[in-house]
Amino acid sequence: NVKISRCLFFVSEILDKYNNTEKKLGRKKAELFNAKASDFANFNYSSEPIYVSVLTKKINEIVHNEKMRKLPARAISNWLVSKGFLTLYAKNDGSPSKKATSLGEDIGIKTIVKDGANGPYMINVYDINAQKFIIDNIEDICKSLQ
């Protein structure tokens, strides 16, 4: 039926206009993660060494909100590489990874070997001193995101 067909085309055009308007108005991009050391006055440091992902999760629980992006764990790791606390190396399969330097070990980062499903691998753990060091330098880490 021609009348029904025309009616459906008309409705389709209206919906397209509506969807395009919604896309233009859409959500604003979230701000970059930003924090100050003072935001963590009551931070619950772990007495046991933890992974950077656990530390990042604890940081995001305190500071993150819906208007701000979460702090990615790689931001901390990349900052530590740029400051000489971690170094890049190639794993057996050629992919890059990070391990603690002597400077990193001095602040409490330790590279340990763990057994996984695909064999042994190295991972960094952060003791309480390394956790405090990262929180003390959180503003500099945030600047590195820009």
Side-chain angles (χ1 to χ4, degrees):
N1 190 328
V2 175
K3 288 183 181 182
I4 293 175
S5 181
R6 286 183 186 159
C7 184
L8 290 174
F9 278 117
F10 174 74
V11 170
S12 176
E13 286 178 24
I14 298 295
L15 289 174
D16 284 342
K17 286 179 186 177
Y18 176 79
N19 286 334
N20 288 335
T21 303
E22 286 294 309
K23 288 178 187 175
K24 289 177 185 175
L25 294 176
R27 291 187 342 159
K28 292 181 181 177
K29 286 189 174 181
E31 299 172 12
L32 291 175
F33 179 87
N34 194 13
K36 297 187 181 336
S38 59
D39 295 334
F40 303 97
N42 296 320
F43 190 76
N44 184 19
Y45 295 99
S46 173
S47 58
E48 295 293 319
I50 59 175
Y51 306 124
V52 71
S53 58
V54 174
L55 179 60
T56 306
K57 182 179 178 186
K58 292 172 77 167
I59 290 170
N60 285 324
E61 286 173 355
I62 293 173
V63 179
H64 177 257
N65 62 52
E66 66 277 349
K67 295 180 183 178
M68 182 171 47
R69 295 181 196 167
K70 290 183 177 183
L71 176 67
R74 73 178 175 279
I76 295 174
S77 297
N78 290 344
W79 182 82
L80 290 166
V81 168
S82 73
K83 299 299 180 186
F85 297 103
L86 294 177
T87 187
L88 295 171
Y89 74 96
K91 295 191 285 189
N92 291 341
D93 64 0
S95 62
S97 195
K98 300 168 182 90
K99 64 181 177 179
T101 63
S102 58
L103 281 174
E105 290 172 354
D106 291 344
I107 65 164
I109 303 172
K110 185 176 180 185
T111 303
I112 60 171
V113 177
K114 294 193 79 157
D115 287 321
N118 297 325
Y121 64 96
M122 292 195 295
I123 191 161
N124 298 311
V125 291
Y126 299 73
D127 72 11
I128 192 165
N129 295 319
Q131 295 169 48
K132 288 179 180 180
F133 179 81
I134 289 167
I135 295 299
D136 289 345
N137 289 283
I138 196 72
E139 292 174 41
D140 198 25
I141 294 168
C142 289
K143 287 177 188 173
S144 74
L145 293 171
Q146 299 174 3

